[in-house]
Structures are given as structure tokens and as C-alpha cells.
Amino acid sequence: AQSVTQLDSHVSVSEGTPVLLRCNYSSSYSPSLFWYVQHPNKGLQLLLKYTSAATLVKGINGFEAEFKKSETSFHLTKPSAHMSDAAEYFCVVSDQPGGTSYGKLTFGQGTILTVHP
Amino acid sequence: DGGITQSPKYLFRKEGQNVTLSCEQNLNHDAMYWYRQDPGQGLRLIYYSQIVNDFQKGDIAEGYSVSREKKESFPLTVTSAQKNPTAFYLCASRGAQNNYGYTFGSGTRLTVV
């Protein structure tokens, strides 16, 4: 069984300040973990993914996430927020290790990021 | 460019009617998925298909049906048995062509009036 918990339903930051979106997971396997971003009434766009290679994963738009097995966490960070980062973010775990087959995704509940000028 | 196309973008349905949401992909992906999104609940899996002419129920399949007659197409029918169909529906596909990453469509917002 697998599950994902996003610890904050809403995060609000000022433009130019750091962003931290928190995610904890549980999985029976060595998990594949993803962060997706969704702008209003749009599909999901992949920000980054972890599939058992380097524990610090760099993604698009300056985002990165660190896989910490001891803490079962996969928090998403960005050093400096931009207005265009305002969106909803989903932490996701796959039930197949390594992402090499067609396993199901389990989504967190989502974190809405608001960026103030 | 390859991608997933969902249509229509917005759909209104009267209570008691069935409605079919379209999902087409030209990525040559084997696997396709339907998710339902409700505020504060993330995405929940309705049905998925790993190969043509085969599909499996996800976590919330009741009141929905699918078919997979072609690799490119995975339509979802929301039947009158679905008690609360108003939601945002997302289709996704996955294949070896992009290292098994998921590609999502832009979604269909269904409203029951």
C-alpha cells in the first residue's frame, strides 16, 4: 500500500522569497516520487521526478526536491518565488519501483501556492 | 507535436443522462488513465488500461464505464448511476517512449445541471 500526505493545503509567500512545499509518503517499495504543478483549469505538468538515482532532484523552473528515506519525505523547494509560480502542486507516488512499468499513481491532496507581489 | 487531447473542455449534463468524455493520444503510449479531481482531494483513479481491449477499475469506478478499442483512444462514460458527477476529469497516458513518464491532458470540467 502507498500513500502521500501534503502537510499544507495552502502556502503563501512573497515574490522573491523561498518556497517550501512539504510532502511525506509511505510505500511498500522503493518508491518513484513526482511533483506536478497545475494551473487553473489546466492539466498537470511534471516538475520533477525521483526514481532511485540522486536524492537531490532538480526540475524545471528552478524547483528542486530532496528524497530523504529516513524521514519518508520529498519536500519541494525553490530559492526565490515568482508570480508565475502561483498554482496548485501535487506530490505523487508510484506503486512500481523505478517507474519502469505501468503502475498506478497515488496523489496527495494538493497544496495551493499563492505568491504576493 | 505529440500529446493528449481531451474534449470538450467544458460539458454540461442534465441529471439522469449519460455523457461520454473523449481522450485521444498520438504518443503511441500503451497505458491510459482516467482521474477525477475534486477540490482538496487530489486526483483519484477511475479506470486505467495497460493494453488495447483490456482495462481495470481504479479506486472510484462505480458509475463510470470505459472502452479501449484503439490504442489512441480511451473514452470515459459518466453514467446516470454516478451520484455526484460534477468534477474535473483528467486523462493521462504513459509509455516507454518518454521513459514511462505520465502525460496529462488539459481536462474536461463536467457540470450536472
Side-chain angles (χ1 to χ4, degrees):
Chain A
Q2 60 186 23
S3 66
V4 177
T5 302
Q6 291 182 241
L7 299 170
D8 306 291
S9 59
H10 290 82
V11 170
S12 182
V13 302
S14 297
E15 192 174 20
T17 64
V19 175
L20 170 64
L21 305 183
R22 299 181 295 164
C23 172
N24 288 109
Y25 70 92
S26 68
S27 176
S28 302
Y29 305 98
S30 295
S32 293
L33 293 160
F34 309 81
W35 275 99
Y36 283 87
V37 61
Q38 184 182 34
H39 292 276
N41 290 314
K42 301 287 187 185
L44 274 69
Q45 180 184 19
L46 180 66
L47 281 177
L48 49 83
K49 65 179 180 181
Y50 166 79
T51 54
S52 74
T55 56
L56 183 62
V57 182
K58 293 188 184 299
I60 62 171
N61 301 336
F63 285 95
E64 61 182 37
E66 186 171 8
F67 174 70
K68 291 187 176 180
K69 186 175 181 179
S70 61
E71 298 177 9
T72 61
S73 70
F74 190 57
H75 301 335
L76 181 70
T77 61
K78 183 174 181 177
S80 176
H82 192 273
M83 295 295 289
S84 61
D85 294 328
E88 188 164 17
Y89 292 79
F90 292 95
C91 182
V92 184
V93 61
S94 173
D95 70 350
Q96 292 293 335
T100 56
S101 64
Y102 299 122
K104 296 184 293 182
L105 299 179
T106 298
F107 285 77
Q109 300 89 334
T111 299
I112 295 173
L113 175 65
T114 302
V115 182
H116 299 287
Chain B
D1 285 339
I4 295 183
T5 301
Q6 289 187 244
S7 61
K9 190 173 179 67
Y10 298 95
L11 187 58
F12 295 87
R13 188 195 89 175
K14 292 183 180 179
E15 280 194 38
Q17 287 182 336
N18 292 356
V19 64
T20 298
L21 282 59
S22 170
C23 179
E24 304 278 334
Q25 54 101 357
N26 60 2
L27 300 164
N28 200 32
H29 284 173
D30 289 319
M32 297 186 74
Y33 306 78
W34 273 106
Y35 289 90
R36 171 184 170 135
Q37 185 177 21
D38 297 283
Q41 296 194 47
L43 276 69
R44 293 179 291 169
L45 182 64
I46 304 172
Y47 268 99
Y48 65 105
S49 167
Q50 297 185 356
I51 195 170
V52 174
N53 292 324
D54 188 38
F55 48 82
Q56 287 79 39
K57 292 182 179 180
D59 301 318
I60 55 165
E62 185 174 352
Y64 299 97
S65 66
V66 293
S67 63
R68 188 87 187 276
E69 297 177 1
K70 299 186 300 181
K71 189 175 187 178
E72 302 79 17
S73 179
F74 192 41
L76 173 74
T77 297
V78 185
T79 74
S80 57
Q82 169 49 235
K83 297 286 189 287
N84 185 21
T86 295
F88 190 55
Y89 291 86
L90 283 164
C91 179
S93 70
R94 190 180 188 199
Q97 293 80 0
N98 64 337
N99 199 26
Y100 297 97
Y102 288 80
T103 301
F104 283 86
S106 57
T108 293
R109 183 164 297 280
L110 173 64
T111 303
V112 174
V113 297

